[in-house]
């Protein structure tokens, strides 16, 4: 699996049916998956898919070379 470091460019919050809340903070760096259909999985306390457009840029962190 290839992972990326991304900077959050706007605050974002999501919750589930059990009232678990994930808050992503503008200006903070997060570890994510590759962009798939406009979404990335954020690897934090919870692993959850969020819109890719809440992040700026992507720096490859782990995984095979992407060839980009």
């Amino acid at each position: 699996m290839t992972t990326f470091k991304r900077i959050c460019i706007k605050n974002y919050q999501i919750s589930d049916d059990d009232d678990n809340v994930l808050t992503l903070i503008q200006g903070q760096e997060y570890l994510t998956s590759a962009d798939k259909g406009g979404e990335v999985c954020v690897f934090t306390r919870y692993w959850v898919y969020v819109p890719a457009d809440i992040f700026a840029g992507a720096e490859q962190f782990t995984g095979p070379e992407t060839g980009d």
Side-chain angles (χ1 to χ4, degrees), residues 2 5 11-12 16 18 20-22 24 26 31 36 42-43 52-53 58-61 67-68:
T2 302
K5 294 188 286 185
N11 292 332
Y12 185 83
D16 64 16
D18 294 325
N20 294 309
V21 177
L22 174 66
L24 303 177
Q26 180 180 355
L31 188 63
K36 294 193 175 151
V42 178
F43 304 117
D53 66 359
E59 180 182 328
Q60 187 170 340
F61 186 63
D68 293 339

Side-chain angles (χ1 to χ4, degrees), residues 4-62:
F4 297 86
K5 294 188 286 185
R6 299 176 194 265
I7 301 294
C8 185
I9 59 172
K10 58 184 167 183
N11 292 332
Y12 185 83
Q13 190 171 68
I14 189 169
S15 60
D16 64 16
D17 294 337
D18 294 325
D19 294 324
N20 294 309
V21 177
L22 174 66
T23 302
L24 303 177
I25 306 295
Q26 180 180 355
Q28 296 293 311
E29 183 177 78
Y30 294 93
L31 188 63
T32 74
S33 67
D35 184 333
K36 294 193 175 151
E39 292 186 320
V40 294
C41 184
V42 178
F43 304 117
T44 62
R45 183 174 180 192
Y46 305 105
W47 289 17
V48 63
Y49 280 90
V50 300
D53 66 359
I54 67 168
F55 295 100
E59 180 182 328
Q60 187 170 340
F61 186 63
T62 64

